[in-house]
Amino acid sequence: MADRHMLYISMQIESGCHMDCIHIHGGKPLEGEAAVQGSKNGALVLVTATVLIKGQTVLYNCPQITDMDEMLGLLKTLGCRVKREGVAVIIDASSLHTSDCPAKQVRAMRSSVMLLGPLLGRCGSVSMERPGGCMIGKRPVDIHETALTCMGVRFRKDEKQILAETEGLKGAEICLPFPSVGATENVLMAAVLAEGTTVLYNAAQEPEITQLCHFLNEAGAKITGVGTNCLTISGVVKLQPVTFTVMPDRIVAGTYLLAGAATRGIVTVKNAPVRQLTSLLDVLRKMGAVVRYEENAVVLDAARAGKPVPYLRTAVYPGFPTDLQSMLAAVLTRAEGSSAIEETIFEDRFKIVRELQKMGADLKVENNRKLRIYGVTKLYPARLTACELRGGAALVVAALMAEGESKITGCDYIRRGYEDICRDLRLLGADVEEKRE
Ligand code: UD1
C-alpha cells in the first residue's frame, strides 16, 4: 500500500493537482441521526465466497465503496457474471474460467488474498501477486499458507507471487498460531468443498466470520461451532445459490459514535449492530457518555464524555477492534487527562500521530506499539493528509473537534470503506463537504 500511496500522489500531480478534499468546519457538538451502510469486510468475503457457487447468488445491502468495485471487477476478470443494482449485487460464478488473478487488480486491494481458499476449492489452483506491506505494517500470509498446506495445497516458493495448487483439498485438523481473520476465512472457504472433515482450532471469532459461516451453511455447507473459536467443517460436493443480506458495518457505526463523542454531541446511529459494539460502548461509558438503545438504533449522549482512558489495548473480537483505534486516539487528544493505547494487532498503526500533532495534539508513540496521549483543551484546524482508510476517518473525527476550517486530502482512502462519510456526517449535524481543488 505504500506503493499505492506514492502512485496516488503522483497521479494527483500529473492530473494538475486536482485533489478531492474534505472541508470541515469543526468545533460544534454534533446532533442528528444517520444510518449505517452494509459491512465492508463482511460483504467482501461473501463476494469471494460466491466463487464456490455455480449459479446466481444475490447479496443485498452491499456497501457502495471502492473496495467493493475493485473486488467485483476482479471477479469479472476471472469470468464471473456480475450485476450491480445499488446495494444489491448479483454474481454468477458458473462461467469462471481462470484462477490467475491479474497483478494490477490484486495490488489495488489487500482483501484479494481472500480469494485463495475459494479459488483452490473451485479450480484447484491459484496465482496472485503476494500482498506487500502496507501503511499499517507488514501483512504476511504465512498463517494462510501453513493452514492450507495441511489441507493438501502445495505452495511454490516465490517471493513475488502466491502460486498454489492441489490435486484435491482434504479435510484436516488445523490449529492457527494466531486467530487471523483472513486465514480463518480462507480455511473455511477451502474446507466447505474439501473431501472429509476439517477442524479449525483457534479460529478468529469476528462477526464477519460468523456471517460467512451462516452464508455458507445457507448455501448447503456443513459448518458447526459457528461463533466459537473451534469450527468443524464437513465437506460437501456442491453449494447452492443463495440470497443473503449483508450485516451493517460495525466499524462505520463505531466511527459515527466516536464522531459524536469527539464533539461531545448527541448522535443517533440507526441500524447499528449494537451487540458487536460492546467493547466500544463500554469505553464510551467509562469516558462519561450515556448510551441508550432505541428500536434498531443506538443513541449516544456525549455531553460529559471527557474522561481519559488510562489504558486500552486493541484485541481480537470481542476485544476493542484495531480498526477503531485511530478514531479513539483522535477523540482522546481532547480528554481531560492522559490516556494510553496499546496496538496489539498491527505493528505500525499510529501513522496519524504526525497529522494530529499538526493540530496541536500532544501525543507520542513508544516502540511503535504504544501511544501516550496527553489531553489538550483545544485542537487547531489544519491541512491534513489521509494515508490509509481508518486513519483517514480518524482525521475527519479530529477535524470535527477543531474550531475553524480543516482540509483533508487523500479522500480515496476513505472511500475504500465509507460510502459517503460527508453525507453521513452532515446528517449528524456536521459542517462538512467534499470539494475538488
Ligand atoms: C482483517 C480485516 C481488517 C482488520 C483485521 C483485524 C478484512 C478485509 N480486513 O484483516 O480490517 O483490521 O482483520 O481485525 O476483513 N498475520 C500474520 N500472518 C498471516 C496473517 C496475519 O502474521 O498469515 C498478522 C497480520 O500481519 C496482522 C495480524 O496477524 O498483524 C492480524 O491479521 P488478520 O487477522 O489476518 O487480519 P486481516 O484478515 O488481514
Side-chain angles (χ1 to χ4, degrees), residues 40-41 44 110-111 114 136 138-145 178-183 185 206 250 322-323 345-347 349 390:
K40 164 184 169 282
N41 292 347
L44 286 171
R110 200 203 123 86
S111 35
M114 254 113 70
I136 59 176
K138 277 201 284 270
R139 308 281 295 256
V141 287
D142 54 315
I143 302 176
H144 305 234
E145 290 185 344
F178 169 83
S180 151
V181 172
E185 292 169 341
E206 269 64 9
R250 61 192 172 107
T322 173
D323 286 351
I345 307 294
F346 288 103
E347 58 173 15
R349 208 167 195 183
R390 303 301 172 190

PDB file of all heavy atoms in Angstrom, residues 40-41 44 110-111 114 136 138-145 178-183 185 206 250 322-323 345-347 349 390, ligand 1:
ATOM      1  N   LYS A  40     -18.280  -3.565   5.149  1.00  0.00           N
ATOM      2  CA  LYS A  40     -17.223  -3.711   4.129  1.00  0.00           C
ATOM      3  C   LYS A  40     -16.565  -5.094   4.223  1.00  0.00           C
ATOM      4  O   LYS A  40     -16.600  -5.867   3.256  1.00  0.00           O
ATOM      5  CB  LYS A  40     -16.158  -2.622   4.328  1.00  0.00           C
ATOM      6  CG  LYS A  40     -14.846  -2.873   3.619  1.00  0.00           C
ATOM      7  CD  LYS A  40     -13.846  -1.778   3.984  1.00  0.00           C
ATOM      8  CE  LYS A  40     -12.446  -2.084   3.532  1.00  0.00           C
ATOM      9  NZ  LYS A  40     -11.753  -3.064   4.405  1.00  0.00           N
ATOM     10  N   ASN A  41     -15.994  -5.409   5.373  1.00  0.00           N
ATOM     11  CA  ASN A  41     -15.273  -6.681   5.482  1.00  0.00           C
ATOM     12  C   ASN A  41     -16.215  -7.870   5.391  1.00  0.00           C
ATOM     13  O   ASN A  41     -15.853  -8.926   4.878  1.00  0.00           O
ATOM     14  CB  ASN A  41     -14.480  -6.737   6.793  1.00  0.00           C
ATOM     15  CG  ASN A  41     -13.329  -5.748   6.797  1.00  0.00           C
ATOM     16  OD1 ASN A  41     -12.982  -5.202   5.754  1.00  0.00           O
ATOM     17  ND2 ASN A  41     -12.759  -5.494   7.956  1.00  0.00           N
ATOM     18  N   LEU A  44     -17.167  -8.108   1.497  1.00  0.00           N
ATOM     19  CA  LEU A  44     -16.067  -8.503   0.601  1.00  0.00           C
ATOM     20  C   LEU A  44     -15.820 -10.009   0.648  1.00  0.00           C
ATOM     21  O   LEU A  44     -15.646 -10.652  -0.387  1.00  0.00           O
ATOM     22  CB  LEU A  44     -14.784  -7.750   0.972  1.00  0.00           C
ATOM     23  CG  LEU A  44     -14.736  -6.279   0.571  1.00  0.00           C
ATOM     24  CD1 LEU A  44     -13.507  -5.595   1.178  1.00  0.00           C
ATOM     25  CD2 LEU A  44     -14.717  -6.120  -0.950  1.00  0.00           C
ATOM     26  N   ARG A 110      -5.963  -5.362  -0.701  1.00  0.00           N
ATOM     27  CA  ARG A 110      -5.360  -6.472   0.023  1.00  0.00           C
ATOM     28  C   ARG A 110      -6.320  -7.643   0.214  1.00  0.00           C
ATOM     29  O   ARG A 110      -5.922  -8.794   0.236  1.00  0.00           O
ATOM     30  CB  ARG A 110      -4.875  -5.983   1.397  1.00  0.00           C
ATOM     31  CG  ARG A 110      -3.848  -6.914   1.958  1.00  0.00           C
ATOM     32  CD  ARG A 110      -3.700  -6.890   3.415  1.00  0.00           C
ATOM     33  NE  ARG A 110      -3.914  -8.222   3.956  1.00  0.00           N
ATOM     34  CZ  ARG A 110      -2.980  -9.146   4.064  1.00  0.00           C
ATOM     35  NH1 ARG A 110      -1.755  -8.884   3.707  1.00  0.00           N
ATOM     36  NH2 ARG A 110      -3.269 -10.337   4.529  1.00  0.00           N
ATOM     37  N   SER A 111      -7.598  -7.333   0.287  1.00  0.00           N
ATOM     38  CA  SER A 111      -8.530  -8.436   0.562  1.00  0.00           C
ATOM     39  C   SER A 111      -8.651  -9.421  -0.602  1.00  0.00           C
ATOM     40  O   SER A 111      -9.329 -10.441  -0.465  1.00  0.00           O
ATOM     41  CB  SER A 111      -9.903  -7.923   0.987  1.00  0.00           C
ATOM     42  OG  SER A 111     -10.226  -6.762   0.330  1.00  0.00           O
ATOM     43  N   MET A 114      -8.272 -13.092   0.030  1.00  0.00           N
ATOM     44  CA  MET A 114      -9.378 -13.941   0.456  1.00  0.00           C
ATOM     45  C   MET A 114      -9.932 -14.789  -0.686  1.00  0.00           C
ATOM     46  O   MET A 114     -10.831 -15.607  -0.482  1.00  0.00           O
ATOM     47  CB  MET A 114     -10.489 -13.106   1.034  1.00  0.00           C
ATOM     48  CG  MET A 114     -10.525 -13.258   2.536  1.00  0.00           C
ATOM     49  SD  MET A 114     -10.089 -11.788   3.338  1.00  0.00           S
ATOM     50  CE  MET A 114     -11.526 -10.857   2.922  1.00  0.00           C
ATOM     51  N   ILE A 136      -0.122   0.179   7.486  1.00  0.00           N
ATOM     52  CA  ILE A 136      -0.290  -0.163   8.903  1.00  0.00           C
ATOM     53  C   ILE A 136       0.655  -1.287   9.334  1.00  0.00           C
ATOM     54  O   ILE A 136       0.561  -1.789  10.432  1.00  0.00           O
ATOM     55  CB  ILE A 136      -1.765  -0.503   9.238  1.00  0.00           C
ATOM     56  CG1 ILE A 136      -2.297  -1.678   8.431  1.00  0.00           C
ATOM     57  CG2 ILE A 136      -2.650   0.706   9.028  1.00  0.00           C
ATOM     58  CD1 ILE A 136      -3.712  -2.099   8.814  1.00  0.00           C
ATOM     59  N   LYS A 138       3.543  -4.752   8.135  1.00  0.00           N
ATOM     60  CA  LYS A 138       3.733  -5.907   7.251  1.00  0.00           C
ATOM     61  C   LYS A 138       2.443  -6.713   7.218  1.00  0.00           C
ATOM     62  O   LYS A 138       1.744  -6.795   8.215  1.00  0.00           O
ATOM     63  CB  LYS A 138       4.858  -6.787   7.805  1.00  0.00           C
ATOM     64  CG  LYS A 138       6.239  -6.312   7.420  1.00  0.00           C
ATOM     65  CD  LYS A 138       7.258  -7.405   7.520  1.00  0.00           C
ATOM     66  CE  LYS A 138       7.709  -7.765   8.844  1.00  0.00           C
ATOM     67  NZ  LYS A 138       8.573  -7.540   9.770  1.00  0.00           N
ATOM     68  N   ARG A 139       2.122  -7.315   6.105  1.00  0.00           N
ATOM     69  CA  ARG A 139       0.908  -8.139   6.065  1.00  0.00           C
ATOM     70  C   ARG A 139       1.246  -9.512   5.478  1.00  0.00           C
ATOM     71  O   ARG A 139       0.881  -9.826   4.353  1.00  0.00           O
ATOM     72  CB  ARG A 139      -0.182  -7.461   5.223  1.00  0.00           C
ATOM     73  CG  ARG A 139      -0.514  -6.017   5.571  1.00  0.00           C
ATOM     74  CD  ARG A 139      -1.418  -5.852   6.768  1.00  0.00           C
ATOM     75  NE  ARG A 139      -2.749  -6.379   6.630  1.00  0.00           N
ATOM     76  CZ  ARG A 139      -3.841  -5.651   6.426  1.00  0.00           C
ATOM     77  NH1 ARG A 139      -3.751  -4.349   6.286  1.00  0.00           N
ATOM     78  NH2 ARG A 139      -5.032  -6.214   6.343  1.00  0.00           N
ATOM     79  N   PRO A 140       1.958 -10.336   6.221  1.00  0.00           N
ATOM     80  CA  PRO A 140       2.334 -11.654   5.678  1.00  0.00           C
ATOM     81  C   PRO A 140       1.116 -12.578   5.547  1.00  0.00           C
ATOM     82  O   PRO A 140       0.064 -12.302   6.121  1.00  0.00           O
ATOM     83  CB  PRO A 140       3.311 -12.203   6.715  1.00  0.00           C
ATOM     84  CG  PRO A 140       3.006 -11.488   7.973  1.00  0.00           C
ATOM     85  CD  PRO A 140       2.389 -10.167   7.619  1.00  0.00           C
ATOM     86  N   VAL A 141       1.283 -13.661   4.777  1.00  0.00           N
ATOM     87  CA  VAL A 141       0.189 -14.633   4.631  1.00  0.00           C
ATOM     88  C   VAL A 141       0.637 -16.035   5.051  1.00  0.00           C
ATOM     89  O   VAL A 141       0.072 -17.032   4.638  1.00  0.00           O
ATOM     90  CB  VAL A 141      -0.378 -14.665   3.181  1.00  0.00           C
ATOM     91  CG1 VAL A 141      -1.197 -13.437   2.891  1.00  0.00           C
ATOM     92  CG2 VAL A 141       0.722 -14.845   2.160  1.00  0.00           C
ATOM     93  N   ASP A 142       1.689 -16.075   5.887  1.00  0.00           N
ATOM     94  CA  ASP A 142       2.232 -17.377   6.295  1.00  0.00           C
ATOM     95  C   ASP A 142       1.191 -18.258   7.001  1.00  0.00           C
ATOM     96  O   ASP A 142       1.169 -19.475   6.805  1.00  0.00           O
ATOM     97  CB  ASP A 142       3.464 -17.159   7.205  1.00  0.00           C
ATOM     98  CG  ASP A 142       3.155 -16.255   8.392  1.00  0.00           C
ATOM     99  OD1 ASP A 142       2.500 -15.209   8.193  1.00  0.00           O
ATOM    100  OD2 ASP A 142       3.546 -16.592   9.527  1.00  0.00           O
ATOM    101  N   ILE A 143       0.321 -17.665   7.786  1.00  0.00           N
ATOM    102  CA  ILE A 143      -0.668 -18.483   8.515  1.00  0.00           C
ATOM    103  C   ILE A 143      -1.652 -19.119   7.522  1.00  0.00           C
ATOM    104  O   ILE A 143      -2.005 -20.286   7.635  1.00  0.00           O
ATOM    105  CB  ILE A 143      -1.413 -17.628   9.576  1.00  0.00           C
ATOM    106  CG1 ILE A 143      -0.396 -17.018  10.558  1.00  0.00           C
ATOM    107  CG2 ILE A 143      -2.442 -18.467  10.326  1.00  0.00           C
ATOM    108  CD1 ILE A 143      -0.994 -16.066  11.600  1.00  0.00           C
ATOM    109  N   HIS A 144      -2.053 -18.336   6.502  1.00  0.00           N
ATOM    110  CA  HIS A 144      -2.936 -18.880   5.456  1.00  0.00           C
ATOM    111  C   HIS A 144      -2.239 -20.061   4.788  1.00  0.00           C
ATOM    112  O   HIS A 144      -2.823 -21.131   4.592  1.00  0.00           O
ATOM    113  CB  HIS A 144      -3.212 -17.848   4.347  1.00  0.00           C
ATOM    114  CG  HIS A 144      -3.763 -16.533   4.810  1.00  0.00           C
ATOM    115  ND1 HIS A 144      -4.919 -16.013   4.299  1.00  0.00           N
ATOM    116  CD2 HIS A 144      -3.338 -15.625   5.705  1.00  0.00           C
ATOM    117  CE1 HIS A 144      -5.167 -14.844   4.860  1.00  0.00           C
ATOM    118  NE2 HIS A 144      -4.212 -14.586   5.710  1.00  0.00           N
ATOM    119  N   GLU A 145      -0.967 -19.853   4.429  1.00  0.00           N
ATOM    120  CA  GLU A 145      -0.239 -20.874   3.658  1.00  0.00           C
ATOM    121  C   GLU A 145      -0.052 -22.158   4.469  1.00  0.00           C
ATOM    122  O   GLU A 145      -0.284 -23.254   3.961  1.00  0.00           O
ATOM    123  CB  GLU A 145       1.116 -20.325   3.194  1.00  0.00           C
ATOM    124  CG  GLU A 145       0.947 -19.258   2.113  1.00  0.00           C
ATOM    125  CD  GLU A 145       2.271 -18.783   1.535  1.00  0.00           C
ATOM    126  OE1 GLU A 145       3.334 -19.029   2.143  1.00  0.00           O
ATOM    127  OE2 GLU A 145       2.239 -18.150   0.472  1.00  0.00           O
ATOM    128  N   PHE A 178      -2.270 -17.938  15.512  1.00  0.00           N
ATOM    129  CA  PHE A 178      -2.901 -16.683  15.911  1.00  0.00           C
ATOM    130  C   PHE A 178      -4.255 -16.655  15.206  1.00  0.00           C
ATOM    131  O   PHE A 178      -4.348 -17.065  14.038  1.00  0.00           O
ATOM    132  CB  PHE A 178      -2.022 -15.487  15.456  1.00  0.00           C
ATOM    133  CG  PHE A 178      -2.712 -14.166  15.598  1.00  0.00           C
ATOM    134  CD1 PHE A 178      -2.725 -13.507  16.812  1.00  0.00           C
ATOM    135  CD2 PHE A 178      -3.369 -13.578  14.518  1.00  0.00           C
ATOM    136  CE1 PHE A 178      -3.391 -12.293  16.959  1.00  0.00           C
ATOM    137  CE2 PHE A 178      -4.031 -12.361  14.652  1.00  0.00           C
ATOM    138  CZ  PHE A 178      -4.038 -11.718  15.883  1.00  0.00           C
ATOM    139  N   PRO A 179      -5.325 -16.202  15.864  1.00  0.00           N
ATOM    140  CA  PRO A 179      -6.636 -16.234  15.206  1.00  0.00           C
ATOM    141  C   PRO A 179      -6.785 -15.174  14.123  1.00  0.00           C
ATOM    142  O   PRO A 179      -7.511 -14.188  14.276  1.00  0.00           O
ATOM    143  CB  PRO A 179      -7.611 -16.001  16.372  1.00  0.00           C
ATOM    144  CG  PRO A 179      -6.826 -15.299  17.413  1.00  0.00           C
ATOM    145  CD  PRO A 179      -5.399 -15.723  17.263  1.00  0.00           C
ATOM    146  N   SER A 180      -6.063 -15.374  13.038  1.00  0.00           N
ATOM    147  CA  SER A 180      -6.109 -14.429  11.909  1.00  0.00           C
ATOM    148  C   SER A 180      -7.487 -14.486  11.246  1.00  0.00           C
ATOM    149  O   SER A 180      -8.006 -15.566  10.946  1.00  0.00           O
ATOM    150  CB  SER A 180      -5.017 -14.814  10.903  1.00  0.00           C
ATOM    151  OG  SER A 180      -5.383 -14.446   9.593  1.00  0.00           O
ATOM    152  N   VAL A 181      -8.047 -13.305  11.004  1.00  0.00           N
ATOM    153  CA  VAL A 181      -9.359 -13.219  10.364  1.00  0.00           C
ATOM    154  C   VAL A 181      -9.285 -13.803   8.951  1.00  0.00           C
ATOM    155  O   VAL A 181     -10.047 -14.694   8.578  1.00  0.00           O
ATOM    156  CB  VAL A 181      -9.837 -11.740  10.323  1.00  0.00           C
ATOM    157  CG1 VAL A 181     -11.107 -11.591   9.496  1.00  0.00           C
ATOM    158  CG2 VAL A 181     -10.046 -11.226  11.733  1.00  0.00           C
ATOM    159  N   GLY A 182      -8.329 -13.315   8.167  1.00  0.00           N
ATOM    160  CA  GLY A 182      -8.218 -13.747   6.769  1.00  0.00           C
ATOM    161  C   GLY A 182      -7.930 -15.242   6.657  1.00  0.00           C
ATOM    162  O   GLY A 182      -8.502 -15.934   5.817  1.00  0.00           O
ATOM    163  N   ALA A 183      -7.037 -15.751   7.519  1.00  0.00           N
ATOM    164  CA  ALA A 183      -6.686 -17.176   7.439  1.00  0.00           C
ATOM    165  C   ALA A 183      -7.894 -18.031   7.808  1.00  0.00           C
ATOM    166  O   ALA A 183      -8.165 -19.058   7.175  1.00  0.00           O
ATOM    167  CB  ALA A 183      -5.493 -17.482   8.347  1.00  0.00           C
ATOM    168  N   GLU A 185     -10.991 -17.275   7.369  1.00  0.00           N
ATOM    169  CA  GLU A 185     -11.920 -17.224   6.241  1.00  0.00           C
ATOM    170  C   GLU A 185     -11.441 -18.113   5.082  1.00  0.00           C
ATOM    171  O   GLU A 185     -12.235 -18.844   4.483  1.00  0.00           O
ATOM    172  CB  GLU A 185     -12.079 -15.768   5.778  1.00  0.00           C
ATOM    173  CG  GLU A 185     -12.795 -14.930   6.821  1.00  0.00           C
ATOM    174  CD  GLU A 185     -12.776 -13.426   6.581  1.00  0.00           C
ATOM    175  OE1 GLU A 185     -11.918 -12.933   5.808  1.00  0.00           O
ATOM    176  OE2 GLU A 185     -13.604 -12.721   7.169  1.00  0.00           O
ATOM    177  N   GLU A 206     -14.498 -13.060  14.788  1.00  0.00           N
ATOM    178  CA  GLU A 206     -15.088 -11.784  14.397  1.00  0.00           C
ATOM    179  C   GLU A 206     -16.473 -12.014  13.779  1.00  0.00           C
ATOM    180  O   GLU A 206     -16.711 -13.064  13.140  1.00  0.00           O
ATOM    181  CB  GLU A 206     -14.173 -11.097  13.366  1.00  0.00           C
ATOM    182  CG  GLU A 206     -13.118 -10.148  13.929  1.00  0.00           C
ATOM    183  CD  GLU A 206     -12.072 -10.803  14.821  1.00  0.00           C
ATOM    184  OE1 GLU A 206     -12.019 -12.041  14.910  1.00  0.00           O
ATOM    185  OE2 GLU A 206     -11.298 -10.064  15.451  1.00  0.00           O
ATOM    186  N   ARG A 250     -19.911  -2.575  11.562  1.00  0.00           N
ATOM    187  CA  ARG A 250     -19.675  -2.178  12.961  1.00  0.00           C
ATOM    188  C   ARG A 250     -18.618  -1.079  13.059  1.00  0.00           C
ATOM    189  O   ARG A 250     -18.628  -0.273  13.986  1.00  0.00           O
ATOM    190  CB  ARG A 250     -19.305  -3.405  13.814  1.00  0.00           C
ATOM    191  CG  ARG A 250     -18.043  -4.113  13.385  1.00  0.00           C
ATOM    192  CD  ARG A 250     -17.885  -5.462  14.065  1.00  0.00           C
ATOM    193  NE  ARG A 250     -16.769  -6.196  13.491  1.00  0.00           N
ATOM    194  CZ  ARG A 250     -15.614  -6.385  14.095  1.00  0.00           C
ATOM    195  NH1 ARG A 250     -15.427  -5.921  15.303  1.00  0.00           N
ATOM    196  NH2 ARG A 250     -14.647  -7.070  13.507  1.00  0.00           N
ATOM    197  N   THR A 322      -9.022  -3.111  16.392  1.00  0.00           N
ATOM    198  CA  THR A 322      -7.924  -2.281  15.872  1.00  0.00           C
ATOM    199  C   THR A 322      -8.434  -1.254  14.858  1.00  0.00           C
ATOM    200  O   THR A 322      -7.890  -0.165  14.756  1.00  0.00           O
ATOM    201  CB  THR A 322      -6.813  -3.169  15.253  1.00  0.00           C
ATOM    202  OG1 THR A 322      -5.854  -2.329  14.629  1.00  0.00           O
ATOM    203  CG2 THR A 322      -7.356  -4.157  14.227  1.00  0.00           C
ATOM    204  N   ASP A 323      -9.494  -1.608  14.132  1.00  0.00           N
ATOM    205  CA  ASP A 323      -9.993  -0.688  13.103  1.00  0.00           C
ATOM    206  C   ASP A 323     -10.651   0.564  13.689  1.00  0.00           C
ATOM    207  O   ASP A 323     -10.964   1.493  12.952  1.00  0.00           O
ATOM    208  CB  ASP A 323     -10.987  -1.408  12.180  1.00  0.00           C
ATOM    209  CG  ASP A 323     -10.284  -2.371  11.231  1.00  0.00           C
ATOM    210  OD1 ASP A 323      -9.045  -2.362  11.173  1.00  0.00           O
ATOM    211  OD2 ASP A 323     -10.983  -3.147  10.539  1.00  0.00           O
ATOM    212  N   ILE A 345      -2.543  -5.701  17.366  1.00  0.00           N
ATOM    213  CA  ILE A 345      -2.847  -6.476  16.158  1.00  0.00           C
ATOM    214  C   ILE A 345      -1.908  -6.117  15.001  1.00  0.00           C
ATOM    215  O   ILE A 345      -1.341  -7.012  14.366  1.00  0.00           O
ATOM    216  CB  ILE A 345      -4.323  -6.265  15.727  1.00  0.00           C
ATOM    217  CG1 ILE A 345      -5.282  -6.543  16.896  1.00  0.00           C
ATOM    218  CG2 ILE A 345      -4.668  -7.139  14.512  1.00  0.00           C
ATOM    219  CD1 ILE A 345      -5.331  -7.963  17.395  1.00  0.00           C
ATOM    220  N   PHE A 346      -1.759  -4.847  14.719  1.00  0.00           N
ATOM    221  CA  PHE A 346      -0.875  -4.444  13.627  1.00  0.00           C
ATOM    222  C   PHE A 346       0.372  -3.755  14.191  1.00  0.00           C
ATOM    223  O   PHE A 346       0.322  -3.148  15.260  1.00  0.00           O
ATOM    224  CB  PHE A 346      -1.608  -3.537  12.638  1.00  0.00           C
ATOM    225  CG  PHE A 346      -2.618  -4.313  11.822  1.00  0.00           C
ATOM    226  CD1 PHE A 346      -3.973  -4.243  12.106  1.00  0.00           C
ATOM    227  CD2 PHE A 346      -2.212  -5.156  10.795  1.00  0.00           C
ATOM    228  CE1 PHE A 346      -4.902  -4.979  11.375  1.00  0.00           C
ATOM    229  CE2 PHE A 346      -3.129  -5.901  10.064  1.00  0.00           C
ATOM    230  CZ  PHE A 346      -4.471  -5.812  10.358  1.00  0.00           C
ATOM    231  N   GLU A 347       1.468  -3.852  13.431  1.00  0.00           N
ATOM    232  CA  GLU A 347       2.728  -3.404  14.005  1.00  0.00           C
ATOM    233  C   GLU A 347       2.984  -1.900  13.846  1.00  0.00           C
ATOM    234  O   GLU A 347       3.831  -1.348  14.517  1.00  0.00           O
ATOM    235  CB  GLU A 347       3.878  -4.201  13.393  1.00  0.00           C
ATOM    236  CG  GLU A 347       3.941  -4.078  11.885  1.00  0.00           C
ATOM    237  CD  GLU A 347       5.182  -4.723  11.310  1.00  0.00           C
ATOM    238  OE1 GLU A 347       5.828  -5.505  12.033  1.00  0.00           O
ATOM    239  OE2 GLU A 347       5.496  -4.432  10.149  1.00  0.00           O
ATOM    240  N   ARG A 349       0.485   1.066  13.398  1.00  0.00           N
ATOM    241  CA  ARG A 349      -0.812   1.664  13.107  1.00  0.00           C
ATOM    242  C   ARG A 349      -0.994   3.036  13.773  1.00  0.00           C
ATOM    243  O   ARG A 349      -2.107   3.415  14.132  1.00  0.00           O
ATOM    244  CB  ARG A 349      -1.929   0.707  13.512  1.00  0.00           C
ATOM    245  CG  ARG A 349      -3.152   0.933  12.652  1.00  0.00           C
ATOM    246  CD  ARG A 349      -4.199  -0.111  12.723  1.00  0.00           C
ATOM    247  NE  ARG A 349      -5.088   0.102  11.577  1.00  0.00           N
ATOM    248  CZ  ARG A 349      -6.183  -0.596  11.340  1.00  0.00           C
ATOM    249  NH1 ARG A 349      -6.529  -1.557  12.138  1.00  0.00           N
ATOM    250  NH2 ARG A 349      -6.926  -0.335  10.287  1.00  0.00           N
ATOM    251  N   ARG A 390      -8.699   3.814   7.767  1.00  0.00           N
ATOM    252  CA  ARG A 390      -9.228   4.157   9.097  1.00  0.00           C
ATOM    253  C   ARG A 390      -8.526   5.378   9.683  1.00  0.00           C
ATOM    254  O   ARG A 390      -9.138   6.160  10.402  1.00  0.00           O
ATOM    255  CB  ARG A 390      -9.113   2.961  10.049  1.00  0.00           C
ATOM    256  CG  ARG A 390      -9.820   1.704   9.546  1.00  0.00           C
ATOM    257  CD  ARG A 390     -11.300   1.883   9.314  1.00  0.00           C
ATOM    258  NE  ARG A 390     -11.876   0.704   8.663  1.00  0.00           N
ATOM    259  CZ  ARG A 390     -13.097   0.644   8.159  1.00  0.00           C
ATOM    260  NH1 ARG A 390     -13.893   1.708   8.196  1.00  0.00           N
ATOM    261  NH2 ARG A 390     -13.537  -0.451   7.586  1.00  0.00           N
TER     262      ARG A 390
HETATM  263  C1  UD1 B   1      -8.997  -8.277   8.720  1.00  0.00           C
HETATM  264  C2  UD1 B   1      -9.788  -7.029   8.331  1.00  0.00           C
HETATM  265  C3  UD1 B   1      -9.132  -5.772   8.893  1.00  0.00           C
HETATM  266  C4  UD1 B   1      -8.943  -5.923  10.407  1.00  0.00           C
HETATM  267  C5  UD1 B   1      -8.222  -7.216  10.752  1.00  0.00           C
HETATM  268  C6  UD1 B   1      -8.120  -7.472  12.240  1.00  0.00           C
HETATM  269  C7  UD1 B   1     -10.716  -7.616   6.146  1.00  0.00           C
HETATM  270  C8  UD1 B   1     -10.733  -7.355   4.697  1.00  0.00           C
HETATM  271  N1  UD1 B   1      -9.805  -6.943   6.868  1.00  0.00           N
HETATM  272  O1  UD1 B   1      -7.703  -8.161   8.139  1.00  0.00           O
HETATM  273  O2  UD1 B   1      -9.967  -4.663   8.607  1.00  0.00           O
HETATM  274  O3  UD1 B   1      -8.178  -4.837  10.879  1.00  0.00           O
HETATM  275  O4  UD1 B   1      -8.916  -8.342  10.157  1.00  0.00           O
HETATM  276  O5  UD1 B   1      -9.374  -7.482  12.811  1.00  0.00           O
HETATM  277  O6  UD1 B   1     -11.523  -8.364   6.661  1.00  0.00           O
HETATM  278  N2  UD1 B   1      -0.808 -12.088  10.200  1.00  0.00           N
HETATM  279  C9  UD1 B   1       0.351 -12.798  10.006  1.00  0.00           C
HETATM  280  N3  UD1 B   1       0.341 -13.837   9.118  1.00  0.00           N
HETATM  281  C10 UD1 B   1      -0.785 -14.189   8.424  1.00  0.00           C
HETATM  282  C11 UD1 B   1      -1.973 -13.444   8.632  1.00  0.00           C
HETATM  283  C12 UD1 B   1      -1.955 -12.397   9.521  1.00  0.00           C
HETATM  284  O7  UD1 B   1       1.399 -12.514  10.624  1.00  0.00           O
HETATM  285  O8  UD1 B   1      -0.724 -15.130   7.628  1.00  0.00           O
HETATM  286  C13 UD1 B   1      -0.796 -10.922  11.116  1.00  0.00           C
HETATM  287  C14 UD1 B   1      -1.065  -9.624  10.348  1.00  0.00           C
HETATM  288  O9  UD1 B   1       0.114  -9.097   9.791  1.00  0.00           O
HETATM  289  C15 UD1 B   1      -1.629  -8.733  11.420  1.00  0.00           C
HETATM  290  C16 UD1 B   1      -2.401  -9.714  12.312  1.00  0.00           C
HETATM  291  O10 UD1 B   1      -1.880 -11.014  12.020  1.00  0.00           O
HETATM  292  O11 UD1 B   1      -0.611  -8.136  12.150  1.00  0.00           O
HETATM  293  C17 UD1 B   1      -3.902  -9.691  12.070  1.00  0.00           C
HETATM  294  O12 UD1 B   1      -4.188 -10.075  10.745  1.00  0.00           O
HETATM  295  P1  UD1 B   1      -5.564 -10.739  10.289  1.00  0.00           P
HETATM  296  O13 UD1 B   1      -6.397 -11.086  11.482  1.00  0.00           O
HETATM  297  O14 UD1 B   1      -5.237 -11.814   9.314  1.00  0.00           O
HETATM  298  O15 UD1 B   1      -6.263  -9.527   9.545  1.00  0.00           O
HETATM  299  P2  UD1 B   1      -6.732  -9.434   8.048  1.00  0.00           P
HETATM  300  O16 UD1 B   1      -7.534 -10.633   7.703  1.00  0.00           O
HETATM  301  O17 UD1 B   1      -5.605  -9.057   7.179  1.00  0.00           O
END
